[in-house]
Amino acid sequence: MQKPTIIKVHEPSQSKNFLDECLKTPPLFTCTIASTETALIPGVSAAGASPELIPYTAAADVEAIIHGQALCLGKIPENPLGPPSPVIITMAALKRLNAPFIVVDAGNAITPKVPMLVAGRTPGLSLVEPVAVDNVAELFMQGIIIGQQLALNEHTLILGESVPGGTTTAMAVMEALGMAALGKISGSMPGNNQSLKQELVSRAMVEKNLSQGSCLDHPLEAVRLLGDPMQAVQAGIAMSASHKIKVILGGGTQMIAVAALIGALLNSKWSSPDFAQPALKRLLPAAVNARPENIAIATTAWVSEDKSADLRSLMQQLPVAMPLYAAGLDFSTSRHKNLSLYEEGYVKEGVGAGAMALTAMLYDNLDNSSFLPEIERVYEDIYLSEN
Amino acid sequence: MQKPTIIKVHEPSQSKNFLDECLKTPPLFTCTIASTETALIPGVSAAGASPELIPYTAAADVEAIIHGQALCLGKIPENPLGPPSPVIITMAALKRLNAPFIVVDAGNAITPKVPMLVAGRTPGLSLVEPVAVDNVAELFMQGIIIGQQLALNEHTLILGESVPGGTTTAMAVMEALGMAALGKISGSMPGNNQSLKQELVSRAMVEKNLSQGSCLDHPLEAVRLLGDPMQAVQAGIAMSASHKIKVILGGGTQMIAVAALIGALLNSKWSSPDFAQPALKRLLPAAVNARPENIAIATTAWVSEDKSADLRSLMQQLPVAMPLYAAGLDFSTSRHKNLSLYEEGYVKEGVGAGAMALTAMLYDNLDNSSFLPEIERVYEDIYLSEN
C-alpha cells in the first residue's frame, strides 16, 4: 500500500491551516549539531559505521551538505549495516528548494570545516554523569537570540538536528517533564533498543533522585541533568522565532522532547535562578511570550509509523498542543539495497530529513515516486565521487 | 555648510543604478570581527579606552548590538578621549530598519556572548611577524560558503567589520597589491598617525622582501603576510554573494583593501597552491565568477572627506571599478560632547556604521537631522543603563 505523501499524524483542530500558512514564506533550514557522550554507551546509537566513528557523524553530516562530501570522514556517515545517513534526503530537498541553510553548533565534539552559527562550545556529557549539560541556560539564551535573528528573515524556519544518542536523551527529558516516554521512542535501529535505553534512563533518574515530572517546575533542569545541548538551543530558537514566523521542528522523538521542553517552560513560573542572570533576563520576554501555535513537528513516516515506538501517544501527552506531520518517504522500490534497508527500520530520521522532505513535497507539490530518484542521485553522486 | 545625506564619493558610470537596485531587496547586516596583533603596537589603534582594552573592542561591539550593552566590558568601547564606538550608529540604524543581523567571527581573541557564524578560530598575528594570517585559504573558503548561504536570502548584503588595527593591515595589503596607499588611509584618530603606520608597513614589507605589487600574482599572500583575518573572509563572502545579490562593503580604508583583494584575485590566474586544495577547488567557481559590478563600498563622510587621508585616490587605483558612497553623518550639533568629537576626527567609522547609516537613510528616506537624535538615544540608553 502506498504511503500518503504527507501524513497528518497528529493535528489539533486549531492547527488545521498550519501547513498552508508555512507555504506563504520560503523555507530556511538550520541543522543544530551537538554531541552527547550518551551516544558512546554501547548499544545506544547506530549513527556511525562503527562506535569509534559516532563522534564524527554530526560534523560529517553538515560537511556533506556544504561540500558534497564529509571532509572529516571521507564518506558520509553510515549505519553499521550500510544504510547511509539521512543527510542524503536533506541534500536532495535542499537542492530542489534552493533554500538557505545554516549550521548551528550547540556543542559538538568534532569541528566540521563549515561556517557554523556557534551557540555553545561544550559537548554534552553522558546522562549517567552528575550533570549532562552544564551550560544549559547559556545555550537557551543563545537559542533565543538566534531565533530572533532568523525570524527577521521572514522565512518558514525548519530546525533539524544531528545528535547521535539523541533519542535516549529525548526519552529522559520527556520523563523528567512528566511524560510516559519509556518504550515509546523511536531510534536508528530496528526495535530501537528500547530495553537498554529504558534501563539507562531509569537508572540515571534514580541516581539523581528524579521521578516522572520532577523537573516540571524548572524545565531546563531536565536538560541539565539528563539531556543534550541541542535541546536547549532548539527550544530557544523555536520559542523566540515563533513570535513572527512558522517554525517546524525537524525530527521525531528528539523534537517531541524539544516540544515538551517548550511546553513545560511555558507552563512554568520561570522561577529558575538561571533566569535571574541579567543578559538572559533581558531576553526572556521573547521566550515567555512564545506562540506555540506557530510551532509544529515534522518527521518521516519511518518514525511516525514505527511499530516499536508510539509517537501518537507522545504527541497526546505534550504539555502544549502541537501538530506532528510526517513525510511519506518510501524506499522499498529503491534500486539501492542500502536505501531499501530504511524500510526495515534502519536510520529512519536525522539532519531534518523528514521535515525537509515534507517541505520539498509541500512547496514543490512532489510525491515519493518523483522525489526518490533525486535522493538516489545524491547517494550515487557521493559514492561515485569517492576516491 | 550642511553635508549631503549621501555623498557619491566615487561612482563609475556603470554603477549609476547601484543604490536604486539595492532598495529592491531588504537589507541584511553582517559584522565580521577579528583580531590582529598589529593593533597592540603602541599608537596603531585608538579603538579602546586604554591599550589593554583594545582586544575587547570587537567582542564588545557585537555584544552591544545583541544585548544592548557590552557584557565583556561593562560598557561599550570608547576612544581614549571619550567618544563612543560607532556601534551606536549601527544600533540606531538596525533599530530603524529592523534588519536581520549576523556576527561573523574570522578569528577574534575574545569570544563574545553572542551567537556567531564562525569562519575562523585563530586571531591574526602582527604584520611584523613572519606570517600574519596563517589560515588565509581556509578563511577565504569559509567566506565563499557564507556568501553563498546568505545570498539565498535575497537581501542586500551589508558587510561591516570590527577589527582594531585594521586600517594598518589594510594599508599593507593595498601596497602589496600594487596600490600607492601610504599616507592615504584613514583611521580612528585625528591625522590617522600616518607616519607610524607608514613606517610599520614599509619595514614589514622590506623584511619580507616585498615591494609594491609583489603579491599581485598570488593575492591571498598579501593577507597571509601582512593582513588580518577579516579581509580574507570578507572577500570570500562578497565575491560569492555577488552572483545573486547586491553587496555593500561597510567601511572605509579597510573595505577598499578588501575590494583591492577582490580585484586582484579576479585579475589573477588563481594559480596559488591554496586553490588546489580539493574542498576549496570545488568552491572556487563561486569566487572566480564573482560579479564585482554588484559590489560597492560605503563609509561615513568623516572617512571619505578626511583631509588626512585620500580615499578618492585609493578608489581610483582599485583593480576593479567600484563605487564608494558615504553617509553624510554630522555630529556637530549633537548635545553630547563625546559625539561632537567625531567632527574632530575621532573614531570616524567601524562596525559598518557608515554603510548602515547610509542604508537607514536610503531605505527610510532619512536625513542627518532626523537620524542624529536616534543615535543620541542609543548612546543615552547605554550610558543611562550603566550599573
Side-chain angles (χ1 to χ4, degrees), chain A residues 269 315 361:
Chain A
K269 297 205 176 71
M315 288 306 296
M361 288 165 153

Side-chain angles (χ1 to χ4, degrees), chain A residues 45 92 112 146 226 325 336:
Chain A
S45 177
I146 293 173
L226 301 166
Y325 303 106
H336 297 292

